[in-house]
Amino acid sequence: MASIASRFFKRRFTLAALSIILYWILSSPYNTFETEIVLHGTKPEVVWEYVADFSKMKTLNPTILDFNIVKDHGNVHHWQYSVEYTERLSHWPYSKNVALGHFSVRKLPEAEGGQYSVASTHKTCFLLGLFCLNSEGEFKISYLNEHDTYCQETVKYQCPFLFGRFCRREVEYQRTAIMGNLQKHFKVKTH
């Protein structure tokens, strides 16, 4: 009888230990990444309209492969849309993921800073949808002075504990590429 109780205890202990280890490996706390640029000779509204148009994301973000707008509503003051998109990882291009993003495009009231904003939430799924991570971001665009535009993006993203460096590199790559391509686009347009 003691051996049955002993085996039962060992199984429960092993299962509990494995659950704790698996949770520790796969737990996904949020991390934050911020970036900013100045676009010379541009108007914030023009930059805002460009960034808010998801069809431009294939040009701005080199990891996006395809997309489909699944929902779209609102007006010029507050436009909202949802998009399903497929992308590859920049540092592991053999892996593709599917994401669903919800975007809120609006000019913030003066009481909130008066910037132009493109805010979004995303659910990105890997392994045929078996493992999903969430992120949220806001791209704020405002006048730096009467001739230049200031852009700031803040991204909060989930990442499994053991993949922290990999996730950070991926986010840095995408956000830096977007800002760099935005600068190239508006440098060409203004000169």
Side-chain angles (χ1 to χ4, degrees):
M1 194 74 165
S3 67
I4 292 174
S6 176
R7 283 193 310 227
F8 179 74
F9 176 75
K10 285 180 183 178
R11 279 189 190 148
R12 289 193 69 177
F13 178 78
T14 302
L15 184 60
L18 286 174
S19 296
I20 290 169
I21 291 168
L22 188 60
Y23 174 78
W24 184 71
I25 290 171
L26 296 178
S27 67
S28 302
Y30 278 90
N31 301 284
T32 302
F33 182 78
E34 292 183 5
T35 186
E36 57 187 22
I37 60 169
V38 173
L39 298 173
H40 301 285
T42 61
K43 301 276 187 217
E45 187 171 5
V46 174
V47 176
W48 175 61
E49 289 173 356
Y50 189 83
V51 171
D53 182 353
F54 198 85
S55 69
K56 306 292 192 254
M57 269 303 143
K58 284 184 78 169
T59 303
L60 294 173
N61 185 347
T63 65
I64 293 181
L65 302 172
D66 200 12
F67 73 94
N68 182 36
I69 304 293
V70 294
K71 188 175 173 184
D72 181 13
H73 67 282
N75 56 46
V76 294
H77 303 293
H78 190 189
W79 176 39
Q80 296 176 308
Y81 65 93
S82 298
V83 61
E84 185 177 75
Y85 58 97
T86 304
E87 64 183 347
R88 64 175 171 74
L89 299 174
S90 64
H91 293 89
W92 188 252
Y94 314 105
S95 177
K96 292 181 185 175
N97 60 69
V98 175
L100 180 62
H102 303 286
F103 291 80
S104 175
V105 180
R106 65 190 184 113
K107 183 175 190 281
L108 299 174
E110 291 301 321
E112 295 179 39
Q115 299 109 338
Y116 295 90
S117 170
V118 179
S120 60
T121 60
H122 304 261
K123 182 176 184 177
T124 305
C125 297
F126 302 87
L127 304 172
L128 302 173
L130 296 175
F131 182 67
C132 298
L133 297 169
N134 297 306
S135 63
E136 57 187 62
E138 185 167 20
F139 202 108
K140 290 184 178 179
I141 304 158
S142 60
Y143 280 101
L144 180 63
N145 54 47
E146 67 181 70
H147 301 292
D148 302 322
T149 297
Y150 174 72
C151 301
Q152 177 187 34
E153 184 180 34
T154 303
V155 177
K156 294 179 182 175
Y157 61 96
Q158 275 187 307
C159 182
F161 180 75
L162 288 181
F163 294 100
R165 293 184 73 197
F166 181 81
C167 293
R168 179 76 179 191
R169 283 180 40 198
E170 186 66 29
V171 170
E172 282 180 8
Y173 173 82
Q174 286 187 22
R175 298 352 280 173
T176 302
I178 288 170
M179 291 298 200
N181 288 328
L182 196 58
Q183 281 182 314
K184 285 178 194 172
H185 174 78
F186 282 100
K187 190 176 283 188
V188 168
K189 297 292 181 191
T190 58
H191 291 94

